[in-house]
Amino acid sequence: MSQMPQQTAPATCPSCAEPVEPDDLFCGACGHDLSAAPAPPQDHATLAMTGSPAPGSRDSGVPAPRTGVEWPAPEPPGSDSTSPKTHLPTDLPGTDSGGHPLHPGTPGAPAGQPASGVRLDRPAEPEEYPLQAPDPRTANETPEPEQRPEAPAQPATTCVACRAGRVDSDGYCENCGHAQPRERDHMERESGPVAAVSDRGLRHHRNEDSFALGHTALPDGGPATLAVVCDGVSSATRPDEASAAAARAAGDVLLAALPRGTHPQAAMHEAIVAAAEAVNALAGEPDTAREHDPHQNAPACTLVSAVVAAGLLVVGWVGDSRAYWVPDDRAAPPARLTEDDSWAAQMVAAGLMSEAEAYADERAHAITGWLGADAYELDPHTASFKPDRPGVVVVCTDGLWNYAETAREMAETIPADAAARPLHSARVLVGHALDGGGHDNVTVAVLPFPAPPQGAGSA
């Protein structure tokens, strides 16, 4: 889940992520030297992918966009462009909804502005949360693919432990008293060639992540796939509801807009706006409902989404969930396609701190953008790319990228056959985070590029 630390909250050990006190010189858990400032992550969004011919050329291995799709120019608010922002990564970095380069270090990029608001209100959390029995990760069932974003299945009414007792409304067996695994503790879904896995991790008492998947056809019959991943803000009320509402709303808009011929980048912008409205609606409760907790934040979450259609790769995001590009040819460079809405990124963009200073600060990962009624403003980021080779898009929450932060680390973690086996690859990535400690909820979706023909699925 997205974290919004208090200024007085204890820092964590950069080696094992255990809490430490501000005046500690060494970590009490692993002995790590805390006097040395941690090195900032060295990869940046929108790394160039070079050394391959353009899509549609004889040797590229990537089919040219279908001529039957006449994309209108994407026109998100603030954009003055009359043509779609599509390009080879060797030509330009990605652009945001206003047509600006994503990374502030890119030549010609506008000067960064400090955040209009930073949430710094993370509540204290227990060191350990007890795992419910039995472990839901032992389940290995995969539902049939569907066209629409899938709603989680209804919880079982028979106890999974004794197989005889009835489960009451509180989630406990009336016969043996066993607590039942909640259906969101571990979720796996496929929709055509795209797949996702979500797990509550090893430390948190519930899964506050959510996702939506879908595949559809463009007006010319060509395939389009999509994935939306949302991360509930832990210090907000009902973060699990916020993430579920946002994922569902964004997925519905994309599945409705793409078959109409809407440009994927414009559809992505509309989807993020719809997701924000869905989360905002959760805060529409009577004032009396919050009399006993007037300082509780409204429901909130982050969002990252990807669409693969007609030779285009489009990403959109608000917050610190990320999208990565991993080419099938692992000799080619991978790339991070998103730029975090975080305190550290804002400080560097504004020129107020160096990367080393910003990432050494305990506020480095405080988010500066989110979906929710108490967000200062909605600033959807979108970018479109024309990758020059086949590969996969990894869309994930920070529960995964905290254990594979750079694009190179992500490429080394995901299996080599990820494009052919996206569900297996998503399971491997979630397992990597759990093996690393599972400190957070973990959600990851894997989309092959280019989109396989209709009917293709995960091996």
Side-chain angles (χ1 to χ4, degrees):
M1 61 191 68
S2 294
Q3 305 298 338
M4 299 179 297
Q6 296 178 351
Q7 292 180 338
T8 58
T12 58
C13 173
S15 175
C16 66
E18 291 298 319
V20 295
E21 296 299 328
D23 56 350
D24 286 348
L25 297 180
F26 297 91
C27 174
C30 69
H32 182 78
D33 183 2
L34 302 175
S35 61
Q42 294 301 311
D43 86 310
H44 300 294
T46 63
L47 299 179
M49 299 176 238
T50 59
S52 187
S57 66
R58 183 173 57 186
D59 301 323
S60 69
V62 181
R66 294 172 174 265
T67 56
V69 178
E70 296 293 336
W71 295 122
E75 298 178 352
S79 175
D80 298 326
S81 174
T82 59
S83 61
K85 292 291 188 300
T86 59
H87 49 269
L88 280 171
T90 51
D91 299 331
L92 292 171
T95 57
D96 62 18
S97 299
H100 304 305
L102 284 177
H103 195 271
T106 304
Q113 298 296 325
S116 57
V118 182
R119 299 188 68 155
L120 299 167
D121 49 358
R122 177 186 176 189
E125 296 181 354
E127 177 61 24
E128 294 283 350
Y129 288 103
L131 285 175
Q132 299 198 15
D135 191 339
R137 286 183 291 280
T138 58
N140 192 26
E141 298 178 359
T142 304
E144 291 297 320
E146 297 181 9
Q147 287 285 83
R148 294 179 57 80
E150 299 85 345
Q154 293 297 320
T157 57
T158 303
C159 176
V160 299
C162 69
R163 301 291 181 180
R166 178 181 175 275
V167 179
D168 63 21
S169 58
D170 293 328
Y172 291 87
C173 176
E174 295 179 345
N175 178 48
C176 67
H178 239 85
Q180 305 299 296
R182 286 167 288 196
E183 50 86 15
R184 283 184 65 168
D185 281 357
H186 186 86
M187 301 181 290
E188 297 187 0
R189 301 284 187 274
E190 284 184 290
S191 183
V194 59
V197 176
S198 181
D199 193 279
R200 71 182 175 92
L202 305 179
R203 297 295 187 94
H204 289 285
H205 67 291
R206 65 179 176 184
N207 188 358
E208 295 171 356
D209 290 354
S210 191
F211 64 83
L213 306 177
H215 67 286
T216 187
L218 302 174
D220 69 340
T225 59
L226 63 97
V228 182
V229 169
C230 296
D231 184 350
V233 173
S234 58
S235 61
T237 184
R238 294 176 289 156
D240 52 337
E241 295 182 32
S243 63
R248 183 170 53 250
D252 286 346
V253 167
L254 290 171
L255 283 172
L258 293 173
R260 294 198 304 262
T262 305
H263 191 283
Q265 191 172 357
M268 182 68 73
H269 185 93
E270 295 171 5
I272 296 175
V273 172
E277 292 173 348
V279 179
N280 291 350
L282 297 177
E285 56 188 10
D287 293 338
T288 55
R290 298 174 67 179
E291 286 181 354
H292 299 293
D293 196 358
H295 302 294
Q296 179 66 54
N297 294 318
C301 68
T302 66
L303 178 148
V304 63
S305 180
V307 169
V308 173
L312 289 179
L313 163 57
V314 177
V315 295
W317 74 98
V318 174
D320 61 351
S321 293
R322 292 181 176 180
Y324 292 83
W325 162 256
V326 180
D328 287 348
D329 178 7
R330 297 303 168 85
R336 175 157 61 91
L337 304 176
T338 57
E339 194 76 62
D340 296 346
D341 287 323
S342 69
W343 184 89
Q346 291 283 359
M347 293 300 102
V348 174
L352 301 177
M353 302 177 77
S354 68
E355 280 191 328
E357 293 170 334
Y359 283 98
D361 195 287
E362 63 181 7
R363 297 165 292 180
H365 294 286
I367 58 173
T368 59
W370 61 90
L371 305 181
D374 60 356
Y376 291 90
E377 61 181 350
L378 177 64
D379 184 18
H381 311 296
T382 65
S384 58
F385 304 87
K386 265 191 174 179
D388 55 358
R389 65 194 73 211
V392 293
V393 187
V394 177
V395 183
C396 64
T397 62
D398 59 348
L400 171 61
W401 66 251
N402 277 329
Y403 298 97
E405 186 164 358
T406 68
R408 179 58 61 188
E409 290 173 330
M410 189 66 70
E412 292 171 351
T413 304
I414 193 170
D417 61 351
R421 304 175 67 193
L423 179 58
H424 168 73
S425 300
R427 290 169 175 163
V428 169
L429 291 173
V430 169
H432 174 76
L434 297 178
D435 290 343
H439 283 70
D440 203 349
N441 304 147
V442 190
T443 302
V444 56
V446 178
L447 301 86
F449 179 92
Q454 291 286 338
S458 178

